[in-house]
Amino acid sequence: MTTSCSLRGNDYFLFIKRQQGKIALLLVYVDDLVITGDINELITELKKMLNSYFKMKDLGELKYFLGIEVLKSKEGILLNQRKYALQLIKDTGLEEAKSTTTLLEQILKLTTLDYDKIVQQDNEDEYNLVEKSAYQRLIGRLIYLTYTRLDITYAVNFLSEFMQQPKRSHIEAALRVVKYVKKEPGQGILLKSSSSCQISAYCDLDWGSCPMTRKSVTSFCIKIGDSLVSWKSNK
């Protein structure tokens, strides 16, 4: 490595190498690596340097990484989790179920068990608890699906509030999200090749929407050009 280049970590998993105005990026997860950059010579040099320290296997052009499929075209790069979504549908036994076009029923008011007792609801079905670990696993898998599915972010964040005492209504709502995903399992995020570098951000607020705490729900998304790069929904 010459004095004109450096390998620095901006995060625990992302390293950046700059040399004579060019750049190479190294993304690390356990024993998996993704290397990219704006010039092939710098990428090749980085591979050789890493291979001199430990044994590496070059799998070629990136197509699949951590459950995320990478598809390239003239329009840009499409990131989706189709294979992951189909496996989720299979594991939940919803392969033959009819898909839905909406995430949550508009009239559905999900609450915690403690709140139900406070307001003295008489619906006995609401007090039927389901296996907590099964509900937590399902929500965890849906959370990972939000990495490329902006459209389910709010619903998954909302359902994650009930992981300590999940009821039958909660698991039914979570399975409805899976049915929604089934409608278009390959939907993802397109990082456009023609995007500008202009950053734009949008946010929305549902004031006092939580019936239990009266807290607000805030959501935002950030775009670079026409490409969506960050989003979140939380109470």
Side-chain angles (χ1 to χ4, degrees):
M1 187 180 296
T2 64
T3 56
S4 62
C5 66
S6 62
L7 188 62
R8 297 180 179 180
N10 281 14
D11 214 323
Y12 293 112
F13 52 85
L14 178 63
F15 299 87
I16 302 173
K17 179 179 180 180
R18 292 185 175 90
Q19 180 175 313
Q20 299 176 353
K22 302 300 181 180
I23 188 172
L25 304 176
L26 171 65
L27 185 66
V28 182
Y29 183 81
V30 190
D31 59 350
D32 292 323
L33 308 175
V34 174
I35 301 175
T36 187
D38 54 5
I39 185 171
N40 290 331
E41 287 78 5
L42 191 56
I43 295 174
T44 302
E45 181 184 333
L46 180 55
K47 288 180 181 179
K48 289 181 179 179
M49 185 270 289
L50 292 172
N51 201 38
S52 67
Y53 287 97
F54 53 87
K55 193 173 183 179
M56 246 180 31
K57 183 178 180 181
D58 191 345
L59 300 178
E61 188 174 344
L62 179 64
K63 294 181 179 179
Y64 199 77
F65 186 69
L66 301 180
I68 299 176
E69 187 176 2
V70 181
L71 302 173
K72 296 182 179 180
S73 68
K74 293 182 179 180
E75 295 183 7
I77 300 175
L78 176 65
L79 305 177
N80 72 75
Q81 293 169 277
R82 184 177 183 275
K83 185 177 179 180
Y84 179 86
L86 292 175
Q87 186 62 49
L88 176 59
I89 294 168
K90 180 180 179 180
D91 292 345
T92 51
L94 297 176
E95 290 178 290
E96 303 300 325
K98 186 177 180 181
S99 62
T100 64
T101 56
T102 56
L103 281 164
L104 298 174
E105 295 182 38
Q106 191 172 7
I107 61 174
L108 186 63
K109 299 295 182 181
L110 298 177
T111 57
T112 63
L113 189 64
D114 293 336
Y115 181 80
D116 291 344
K117 292 178 179 178
I118 293 173
V119 298
Q120 297 181 348
Q121 291 184 350
D122 296 326
N123 187 352
E124 294 183 358
D125 289 339
E126 283 298 298
Y127 295 95
N128 291 333
L129 297 178
V130 298
E131 185 183 352
K132 181 166 67 173
S133 60
Y135 183 78
Q136 290 174 340
R137 284 195 299 270
L138 176 56
I139 295 300
R141 296 181 72 175
L142 287 172
I143 288 175
Y144 190 68
L145 194 56
T146 62
Y147 282 15
T148 58
R149 294 293 298 258
L150 169 69
D151 52 335
I152 67 172
T153 302
Y154 167 75
V156 174
N157 172 264
F158 177 56
L159 293 173
S160 67
E161 298 179 28
F162 310 108
M163 290 201 285
Q164 295 306 312
Q165 289 184 314
K167 300 179 295 184
R168 191 175 70 179
S169 56
H170 299 146
I171 192 72
E172 289 176 351
L175 291 174
R176 183 182 178 91
V177 175
V178 179
K179 292 178 183 177
Y180 172 84
V181 171
K182 184 183 178 184
K183 184 175 182 292
E184 290 185 77
Q187 183 174 325
I189 297 295
L190 177 63
L191 304 177
K192 294 187 177 181
S193 57
S194 59
S195 290
S196 67
C197 293
Q198 182 177 355
I199 298 176
S200 55
Y202 305 87
C203 66
D204 194 11
L205 173 68
D206 194 354
W207 180 261
S209 61
C210 179
M212 297 171 288
T213 63
R214 305 311 301 169
K215 290 184 178 180
S216 304
V217 175
T218 303
S219 301
F220 72 82
C221 65
I222 299 174
K223 300 174 71 176
I224 297 180
D226 295 326
S227 301
L228 193 63
V229 295
S230 181
W231 56 91
K232 189 175 182 180
S233 174
N234 68 311
K235 188 183 294 183

